[in-house]
């Protein structure tokens, strides 16, 4: 598995989810399986089948989280010194050249992306257009809805 870029906050969220899965959800599904087994015939026991299916999902998610965290390349944006360039972890103020709307985005890992929180994935079209650019540059984004142009107003490492 290749390195997984994460911000410090993103890594903390994945660790918290892993802890929740191991300490709360895994024991709960084990208890549900034991209870369903107590009901007798497993061949026609829907509760048992549902609990086993949920257990499979939980174990798969635990394995996925452990793999991502073991391959994580954790980057603290506040420690970056990229001389004002748009890089992973940077928070960028942009102005849409068509509508003059100003937006602020932080470039984060795929698992952290949440547009409602202003966090965009490093692999998104807008991030790919921003990487390596500086304040004052124009970023041309080839989005599914067509070509968009954004002026980079400010780049911060917070």
């Amino acid at each position: 598995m290749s390195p997984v870029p994460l911000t410090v906050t993103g890594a903390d969220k994945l660790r918290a989810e892993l802890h929740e899965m191991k300490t709360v959800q895994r024991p709960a599904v084990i208890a549900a399986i034991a209870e369903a087994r107590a009901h007798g015939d497993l061949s026609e026991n829907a509760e048992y089948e549902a609990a086993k299916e949920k257990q499979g999902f939980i174990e798969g998610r635990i394995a996925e989280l452990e793999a991502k965290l073991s391959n994580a390349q954790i980057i603290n944006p506040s420690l970056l010194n990229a001389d004002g360039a748009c890089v992973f972890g940077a928070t960028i103020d942009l102005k849409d050249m068509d509508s003059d709307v100003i937006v602020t985005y932080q470039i984060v890992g795929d698992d952290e992306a949440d547009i409602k929180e202003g966090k965009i994935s490093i692999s998104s079209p807008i991030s790919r257009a921003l990487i390596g650019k500086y304040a004052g540059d124009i970023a041309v984004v080839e989005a599914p809805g067509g070509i968009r142009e954004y002026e980079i107003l400010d780049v911060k490492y917070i």
Side-chain angles (χ1 to χ4, degrees):
M1 190 173 192
S2 61
V4 177
L6 291 171
T7 63
V8 174
T9 305
D12 289 344
K13 284 182 179 178
L14 288 183
R15 281 190 202 102
E17 183 184 352
L18 180 61
H19 181 73
E20 157 90 8
M21 289 279 186
K22 284 183 166 182
T23 61
V24 177
Q25 293 190 25
R26 181 189 269 167
V29 79
I30 290 170
I33 290 170
E35 183 181 324
R37 274 193 180 142
H39 292 347
D41 186 11
L42 298 181
S43 65
E44 295 180 15
N45 190 331
E47 288 176 20
Y48 177 77
E49 290 299 322
K52 289 297 283 182
E53 187 175 313
K54 186 172 183 181
Q55 181 184 36
F57 168 78
I58 289 170
E59 295 302 327
R61 183 65 180 155
I62 287 171
E64 180 184 0
L65 290 170
E66 286 175 338
K68 284 180 181 178
L69 287 168
S70 69
N71 291 308
Q73 181 179 1
I74 300 172
I75 298 166
N76 187 341
S78 63
L79 300 178
L80 292 176
N81 183 12
D83 295 325
C86 294
V87 294
F88 180 87
T91 301
I92 305 155
D93 295 331
L94 302 170
K95 180 172 92 172
D96 188 318
M97 301 298 285
D98 294 333
S99 64
D100 287 337
V101 172
I102 296 175
V103 293
T104 301
Y105 293 129
Q106 181 183 20
I107 300 174
V108 297
D110 293 334
D111 292 306
E112 304 172 73
D114 185 351
I115 195 71
K116 293 179 204 140
E117 292 181 15
K119 296 181 178 195
I120 56 174
S121 167
I122 185 73
S123 59
S124 70
I126 192 165
S127 290
R128 290 194 310 261
L130 292 171
I131 295 293
K133 297 212 172 13
Y134 296 85
D137 289 352
I138 303 293
V140 178
V141 180
E142 292 185 34
I147 294 177
R148 307 285 302 248
E149 291 185 342
Y150 294 93
E151 179 182 356
I152 301 170
L153 303 175
D154 192 19
V155 180
K156 301 177 286 267
Y157 309 106
I158 51 177

